[in-house]
Amino acid sequence: MAANRWFIDSETGVLTDVLLCPPDYYEWIPSNDIAIQTMAGGGSIDRNVLSSQFNELVSTLKGADVSCHFLTPHKGMPYEVYTRDSSQTTPFGTVVTNLSRPERVGEEKEIRTFYAPDEIWRTCTAGRIEGGDIHIIRPGLLAVGVSGGRTDIKGAAEFINWFEEAGWTCRMIHFPEHFLHLDVIFCMVAENLAIAAVDVLDEADLEWFRAQGIRILPVTYREAMRDMGCNVLALGRDRVVSPRHSTRINAMLRAEGLSVLDPELNQFSRGGGSIHCMTMPLRRQSLQTA
C-alpha cells in the first residue's frame, strides 16, 4: 500500500531512500547566525562549486546504495534544499511539519505535491516544529529540540503526544535559539552512539541520553557552529556521511570503527546547514527486525 511506502523507526537503521532538493535557488540569507557571520565576513556563494558539492553528496549516497528522490526547487525558497525540516518520516506515516521562517512557509505546497495524500499521517498545527529538531532515535525513543524559534513548546508537545500515545519514551531538549535546530548540536552516528556539543546541552539532558544507553562523543562549540560538525547522516551498518572539512570529528568517528564518507559541503554549511539538514530519510530498515 502507498501509505506504508515510507518508514523509519530510528536515526541509524540502514538507509534505503532519502529526499533531497537541488540547490538551484539556494542562497545565503540573514535568517540564522551562521549565515549572518558568513555574509558579514564578505563570503559569497560559488554556484559552480555549490552544484558540484550537491552532486558529490548525491553520488556518495547512491554509492552507498541509497535511492535518491528529489523535490522540485522553486524561486523564492532559498532554503528548500534543507529537506529535513519540511516533513518527517515516522513509523506511522509522514508528518507535515509547521515551518517557522516566512521564506520557508511555501515549502509545504511542494511537500504535499511529493507525497501521496494517503502517505501523510498527520499535519502539525498546534505550534511551530521543524524536522531538524526531531530525532527518532530508535524504536520507542524520541527527542525533540525546543529553542522557542524554529520549534516551540506547543509544536513539540503536539508531536510528542502522538508518540506517547503509542507508548514511546519522549523528551524535549531545550537550548538557545542561536543554535537553530537540535541537529546542529546533537546527532546519532550509529546505534547507541552520538556526537554532541556537550558544552551546550544541559547536563540533565546529557544524563538522560546516557540513561538511554547512548554514548556521546564530544564536539566543540566552534566545530558545531563554524563547521556544522554535528550535522551528519548515519547510513546504518556503521557508516556515516560527514563533511570533509570536519577533519577532527571524522578521525574520531573512524577511531570508533565507523566508515566515514566525506563529501565536501562547505558552500552549504556556511549558510547554516549541512548533510543532516539536506536529507530527509524516507525509508530505513527497522531496527526491530535488523
Side-chain angles (χ1 to χ4, degrees):
M1 293 177 59
N4 297 325
R5 185 162 61 130
W6 308 131
F7 170 95
I8 70 164
D9 63 7
S10 76
E11 281 272 321
T12 59
V14 174
L15 182 65
T16 64
D17 292 81
V18 70
L19 181 63
L20 305 108
C21 182
D24 296 17
Y25 304 107
Y26 178 76
E27 298 287 348
W28 296 336
I29 60 174
S31 63
N32 64 76
D33 286 349
I34 300 168
I36 289 169
Q37 273 197 314
T38 298
M39 296 167 72
S44 61
I45 294 175
D46 184 323
R47 303 212 69 86
N48 289 330
V49 174
L50 180 81
S51 178
S52 176
Q53 290 183 357
F54 181 79
N55 290 337
E56 183 181 0
L57 173 60
V58 172
S59 294
T60 298
L61 292 167
K62 288 182 176 179
D65 297 323
V66 179
S67 295
C68 295
H69 307 259
F70 299 93
L71 296 178
T72 300
H74 293 83
K75 289 183 179 180
M77 297 185 190
Y79 279 177
E80 190 181 8
V81 68
Y82 297 134
T83 57
R84 176 71 57 163
D85 297 325
S86 49
S87 66
Q88 176 64 57
T89 312
T90 79
F92 319 112
T94 294
V95 173
V96 177
T97 59
N98 195 2
L99 295 164
S100 173
R101 293 285 304 183
E103 69 273 5
R104 301 203 66 184
V105 171
E107 295 176 30
E108 180 178 340
K109 182 178 180 180
E110 176 62 18
I111 283 296
R112 292 189 182 278
T113 298
F114 175 80
Y115 293 106
D118 59 353
E119 292 173 343
I120 295 174
W121 175 54
R122 298 283 176 92
T123 297
C124 299
T125 59
R128 299 296 183 184
I129 185 167
E130 300 185 352
D133 282 316
I134 299 168
H135 287 242
I136 298 174
I137 295 173
R138 63 173 181 253
L141 188 64
L142 171 73
V144 178
V146 178
S147 68
R150 308 307 171 101
T151 296
D152 58 27
I153 290 176
K154 286 184 178 180
E158 179 184 46
F159 192 90
I160 282 173
N161 180 64
W162 298 331
F163 281 72
E164 287 181 336
E165 288 177 346
W168 285 51
T169 298
C170 306
R171 185 177 179 90
M172 290 188 195
I173 308 294
H174 294 268
F175 56 89
E177 187 177 349
H178 168 66
F179 296 101
L180 307 180
H181 292 123
L182 182 59
D183 64 5
V184 173
I185 54 176
F186 174 89
C187 241
M188 299 298 297
V189 293
E191 193 171 353
N192 298 324
L193 182 64
I195 57 176
V198 294
D199 54 348
V200 172
L201 288 168
D202 190 85
E203 186 60 34
D205 293 323
L206 293 171
E207 285 299 326
W208 181 82
F209 283 122
R210 294 178 188 124
Q212 311 308 316
I214 298 169
R215 186 162 58 92
I216 297 177
L217 304 175
V219 171
T220 67
Y221 172 90
R222 180 176 294 180
E223 289 170 327
M225 291 298 285
R226 179 194 64 190
D227 301 334
M228 296 296 291
C230 284
N231 203 260
V232 302
L233 177 69
L235 299 180
R237 294 202 296 263
D238 293 330
R239 300 167 300 156
V240 62
V241 186
S242 176
R244 189 169 303 141
H245 58 259
S246 295
T247 53
R248 188 199 69 84
I249 293 171
N250 293 345
M252 178 174 64
L253 296 175
R254 290 183 175 112
E256 292 287 332
L258 301 183
S259 175
V260 178
L261 310 177
D262 58 353
E264 186 53 86
L265 287 169
N266 66 346
Q267 295 292 297
F268 297 94
S269 62
R270 295 175 72 198
S274 192
I275 295 164
H276 197 268
C277 295
M278 296 169 68
T279 52
M280 171 46 66
L282 293 171
R283 182 167 49 227
R284 290 185 183 271
Q285 293 179 12
S286 174
L287 288 187
Q288 291 185 320
T289 58

